């Protein structure tokens, strides 16, 4: 291995000009990446880790300014003219992002998108690029690459889309791959596959990897060295094993101890059943046009589940297992077959008849930014349900309740006059929870409410949900692929695969002694997704 860094960063600073004055996002950091090495930058949202890499690639927003030095194999990147920089980025330094669906153009086939870096940097025609594209798809493990080359992004799973992004990044044999939260939105088994793929490709191709993440569990065995960032500064650095074994900075210690803890006690056996579903089924249809055959997919295939007062049922499984569809069907948000009862009575299917029950049956989504209207103030968002369920309330009373709801979820009541974009991810999720709590619900379906959040913020949201449940006797259906959070919050677990329940039982029993191979695979992937890492000798 060469002793010359492939990337050498000195005193890097990133400043944004805002209406409130300059904001320093990165404050004079140093870092280096050696050829063939994996270096991780870890920290919470807002720590500056992603802005560091965006500055290196010359991809900052227009109001951003970079100073300092960043040398790639001796070439200074900071201040490099765009034409010269374009010969490096996308060619010798490449990047993959957290959400491939937003990085891939939905209007173009993946083969056309994979051809772009080959045409731009190698001057290949579309026909000449095709063999290389098929080779790349094979390299990243896409089945039937000759057929998939003509697929659109929406026709691929999340894991397959991320593999396509990796293939695009590898098209021109880069020296450095920057991976910015590439596994955060993926299930544990798919996450393990992507990390295994990156480790294998690194060993095969000899490239260096700069890995950006807030998940310290991934870093532990995937990275050679780690930089810990807080508020734009590196507060600790060193070999990964050393930092994990003896962290020196309190912030690093906090991050390492941020795993959700504790266990949820089940409700008493006498607790009444709130919702009961028997033989619940949801079928989606596609095709059936002039040139295609109608196709039916059983997203939920005759499952039965119940939820008692004060209970938290964790619903787990990979993407496509049907868990989110089951949660929506349980609230009559999707057409379904089977019987659903609420408080012992058949739940109506007519939406007008069901409307009075909606305040008691609430839903919290994975992405609070996507589910909160950017045009409304937080106060308006939180009180929107009151306009429907308590239309006689005065504006003053609604405003008072908005402030009280914010305080209940740990936010300042004065924040009700601000807009969603002014808040962090964790704060936005608290706002989404406040929107449900203001209606005094009995049942809340939580659909991946913590998967996009930092570990430390996840722990805060878990603690908040526990407190609200204890204070109000709430029942939760908690849908997630994050098994650490599920175990901390749930007293009963249901494992789904391909629309069916494959295992269920008390949380500790399912986690400690799973009976089904699929469940054991999920647990193994969650406990150690890095057991694949090749020995570098």
């Amino acid at each position: 291995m060469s002793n010359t860094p492939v990337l050498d960063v000195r005193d890097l600073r990133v400043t944004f000009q805002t209406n409130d004055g300059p904001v320093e996002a990165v404050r004079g950091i140093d870092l280096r990446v050696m050829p063939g090495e994996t270096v991780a930058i870890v920290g919470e949202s807002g720590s500056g880790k992603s802005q560091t890499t965006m500055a290196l690639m010359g991809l900052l927003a227009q109001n951003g300014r970079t100073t300092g030095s960043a040398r790639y194999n001796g070439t200074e990147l900071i201040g490099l003219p765009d034409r010269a920089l374009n010969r490096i980025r996308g060619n010798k330094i490449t990047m993959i992002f957290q959400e491939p669906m937003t990085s891939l153009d939905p209007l173009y086939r993946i083969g056309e998108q994979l051809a772009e870096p080959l045409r731009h940097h190698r001057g290949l025609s579309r026909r000449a690029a095709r063999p290389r594209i098929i080779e790349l798809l094979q390299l990243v493990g896409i089945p039937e690459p000759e057929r998939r080359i003509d697929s659109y992004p929406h026709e691929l799973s999340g894991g397959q889309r991320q593999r396509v992004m990796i293939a695009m990044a590898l098209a021109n044999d880069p020296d450095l791959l920057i991976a910015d939260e590439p596994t955060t939105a993926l299930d544990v088994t798919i996450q393990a596959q992507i990390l295994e793929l990156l480790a294998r490709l690194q060993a095969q191709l000899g490239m260096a990897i700069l890995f950006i993440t807030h998940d310290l569990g991934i870093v532990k065995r995937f990275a050679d060295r780690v930089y810990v960032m807080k508020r734009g500064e590196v507060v600790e650095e060193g070999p990964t094993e050393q930092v994990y074994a003896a962290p020196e900075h309190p912030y690093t210690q906090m991050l390492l101890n941020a795993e959700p803890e504790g266990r949820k006690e089940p409700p008493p056996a006498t607790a009444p059943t709130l919702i009961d579903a028997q033989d619940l089924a949801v079928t989606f249809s596609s095709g059936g046009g002039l040139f295609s055959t109608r196709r039916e997919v059983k997203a939920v295939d005759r499952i039965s589940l119940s939820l008692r007062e004060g209970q938290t049922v964790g619903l787990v499984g990979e993407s496509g297992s049907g868990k989110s569809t089951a949660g929506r069907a349980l609230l009559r948000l999707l057409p379904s077959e089977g019987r659903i009862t609420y408080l012992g009575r058949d739940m109506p299917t007519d939406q007008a008849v069901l409307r009075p029950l909606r305040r008691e049956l609430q839903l919290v989504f994975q992405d609070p930014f996507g589910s909160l209207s950017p045009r409304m103030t937080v106060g308006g968002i939180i009180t929107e349900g009151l306009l429907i369920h308590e239309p006689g309330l005065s504006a003053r009373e609604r405003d008072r309740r908005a402030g009280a709801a914010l305080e209940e979820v740990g936010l300042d009541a004065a924040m009700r006059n601000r807009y969603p974009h002014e808040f962090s991810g964790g704060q936005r999720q608290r706002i989404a929870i406040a929107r449900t709590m203001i209606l005094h619900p009995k049942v809340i379906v939580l659909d991946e409410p913590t998967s996009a959040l930092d570990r430390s913020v996840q722990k805060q949201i878990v603690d908040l949900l526990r407190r609200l449940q204890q204070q109000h006797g709430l029942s939760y259906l908690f849908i997630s692929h994050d098994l650490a959070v599920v175990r901390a919050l749930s007293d009963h677990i249901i494992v789904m695969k391909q629309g069916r329940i494959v295992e269920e039982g008390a949380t500790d029993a399912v986690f400690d002694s799973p009976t089904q191979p699929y469940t054991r695979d999920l647990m193994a992937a969650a406990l150690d997704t890095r057991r694949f890492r090749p020995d570098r000798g």
Side-chain angles (χ1 to χ4, degrees):
M1 183 182 292
S2 170
N3 291 324
T4 302
V6 65
L7 181 67
D8 190 10
V9 176
R10 302 293 176 90
D11 194 30
L12 185 73
R13 298 176 182 272
V14 177
T15 304
F16 291 95
Q17 295 297 328
T18 72
N19 292 333
D20 296 323
V23 174
E24 279 193 291
V26 181
R27 304 180 181 188
I29 71 166
D30 299 340
L31 68 87
R32 73 182 189 283
V33 183
M34 305 301 292
E37 184 183 35
T38 299
V39 172
I41 303 179
V42 302
E44 298 173 289
S45 295
S47 63
K49 56 188 189 295
S50 291
Q51 295 302 334
T52 295
T53 57
M54 298 298 269
L56 300 177
M57 298 288 279
L59 297 175
L60 289 178
Q62 288 187 343
N63 64 332
R65 179 173 177 267
T66 306
T67 61
S69 173
R71 292 185 174 273
Y72 157 70
N73 285 339
T75 299
E76 181 60 64
L77 299 177
I78 306 302
L80 194 66
D82 283 346
R83 178 171 293 184
L85 189 58
N86 284 337
R87 289 196 289 268
I88 296 174
R89 62 183 178 191
N91 185 26
K92 292 305 178 185
I93 302 178
T94 56
M95 197 167 184
I96 56 176
F97 299 93
Q98 174 177 345
E99 181 44 73
M101 193 61 183
T102 58
S103 301
L104 294 171
D105 193 319
L107 301 179
Y108 291 89
R109 302 176 194 273
I110 64 168
E112 296 172 0
Q113 298 186 59
L114 282 166
E116 279 302 306
L118 295 169
R119 296 173 65 187
H120 181 77
H121 293 288
R122 296 191 180 186
L124 298 182
S125 66
R126 184 176 283 107
R127 172 177 288 185
R130 186 178 178 89
R132 174 59 174 164
I133 294 169
I134 292 174
E135 179 188 356
L136 288 166
L137 292 176
Q138 289 174 331
L139 186 67
V140 299
I142 295 289
E144 303 178 89
E146 294 85 357
R147 183 174 67 87
R148 284 301 193 185
I149 196 173
D150 294 319
S151 297
Y152 289 94
H154 73 271
E155 298 178 291
L156 305 179
S157 69
Q160 288 174 328
R161 287 194 292 265
Q162 195 60 285
R163 289 172 185 267
V164 170
M165 289 300 301
I166 294 171
M168 192 180 300
L170 299 179
N172 294 303
D173 301 319
D175 295 322
L176 174 65
L177 172 66
I178 299 174
D180 191 355
E181 301 275 13
T183 62
T184 299
L186 303 177
D187 302 328
V188 288
T189 51
I190 306 302
Q191 182 184 90
Q193 293 170 16
I194 295 299
L195 292 171
E196 181 178 11
L197 172 65
L198 287 173
R200 176 173 59 80
L201 293 172
Q202 182 180 35
Q204 183 176 339
L205 304 175
M207 64 183 175
I209 295 178
L210 182 59
F211 198 90
I212 315 300
T213 185
H214 65 256
D215 189 340
L216 274 77
I218 291 174
V219 172
K220 188 173 184 179
R221 296 185 187 177
F222 186 66
D224 300 298
R225 291 186 301 110
V226 60
Y227 291 83
V228 181
M229 287 190 68
K230 178 184 181 183
R231 296 178 182 174
E233 298 178 328
V234 172
V235 297
E236 188 161 357
E237 64 175 287
T240 305
E241 291 183 2
Q242 176 183 314
V243 171
Y244 272 75
E248 297 180 356
H249 197 279
Y251 180 72
T252 310
Q253 296 167 8
M254 183 277 291
L255 289 178
L256 290 171
N257 294 325
E259 194 81 7
E261 298 173 339
R263 294 292 181 269
K264 164 73 168 61
E265 289 295 323
T270 56
T273 297
L274 297 184
I275 290 186
D276 183 71
Q278 298 296 320
D279 292 325
L280 185 66
V282 178
T283 303
F284 294 119
S285 299
S286 62
L290 185 61
F291 300 105
S292 61
T293 303
R294 186 176 180 82
R295 179 170 171 263
E296 290 191 342
V297 176
K298 288 188 175 181
V300 177
D301 192 3
R302 300 292 172 188
I303 70 169
S304 297
L305 62 90
S306 62
L307 185 63
R308 292 186 292 152
E309 186 178 284
Q311 186 179 34
T312 300
V313 172
L315 196 55
V316 302
E318 298 173 288
S319 293
S321 63
K323 56 187 188 295
S324 291
T325 302
R328 284 165 170 75
L330 200 65
L331 299 184
R332 292 288 193 208
L333 295 173
L334 289 174
S336 63
E337 300 175 31
R339 187 185 184 194
I340 304 174
T341 61
Y342 176 61
L343 297 176
R345 297 181 178 180
D346 286 336
M347 191 180 294
T349 56
D350 185 284
Q351 293 301 313
V353 178
L354 187 60
R355 179 173 291 180
L357 294 180
R358 286 286 179 219
R359 68 179 303 162
E360 299 179 12
L361 306 169
Q362 289 290 304
L363 178 64
V364 174
F365 297 95
Q366 173 180 350
D367 179 13
F369 194 65
S371 63
L372 302 178
S373 173
R375 298 182 178 183
M376 297 175 66
T377 65
V378 165
I381 291 169
I382 291 174
T383 58
E384 194 172 17
L386 293 177
L387 295 173
I388 297 172
H389 295 289
E390 297 186 46
L393 287 180
S394 66
R396 176 175 292 182
E397 177 59 17
R398 287 197 305 272
D399 187 60
R400 187 195 67 79
R401 288 206 196 179
L406 285 172
E407 289 178 344
E408 186 171 39
V409 298
L411 296 176
D412 191 331
M415 292 179 172
R416 65 189 184 278
N417 296 317
R418 292 164 58 180
Y419 289 85
H421 72 271
E422 300 178 61
F423 295 87
S424 68
Q427 288 174 323
R428 288 196 291 263
Q429 197 58 284
R430 288 175 184 267
I431 292 166
I433 294 171
R435 178 172 58 181
T436 68
M437 292 305 300
I438 201 170
L439 295 173
H440 306 298
K442 293 181 179 178
V443 174
I444 301 179
V445 174
L446 300 143
D447 192 357
E448 300 277 11
T450 63
S451 63
L453 304 177
D454 302 329
R455 271 297 186 206
S456 58
V457 181
Q458 283 184 353
K459 187 173 183 180
Q460 295 168 15
I461 296 298
V462 168
D463 290 342
L464 170 64
L465 291 172
R466 280 178 176 155
R467 175 171 60 80
L468 293 174
Q469 184 172 46
Q470 292 171 356
Q471 290 177 351
H472 300 281
L474 297 171
S475 299
Y476 295 144
L477 180 65
F478 190 83
I479 301 167
S480 182
H481 66 256
D482 191 325
L483 300 187
V485 176
V486 170
R487 183 165 197 175
L489 200 56
S490 306
D491 55 73
H492 188 87
I493 298 291
I494 295 176
V495 183
M496 290 189 67
K497 179 184 180 182
Q498 296 177 347
R500 297 182 178 181
I501 293 175
V502 297
E503 185 164 358
E504 70 173 298
T507 298
D508 285 342
V510 172
F511 270 85
D512 296 336
S513 304
T515 62
Q516 298 300 311
Y518 177 73
T519 309
R520 288 196 290 269
D521 288 344
L522 283 179
M523 303 303 172
L527 288 172
D528 189 2
T529 58
R530 274 67 62 191
R531 47 197 158 82
F532 54 76
R533 188 171 185 229
D535 185 359
R536 301 190 183 188

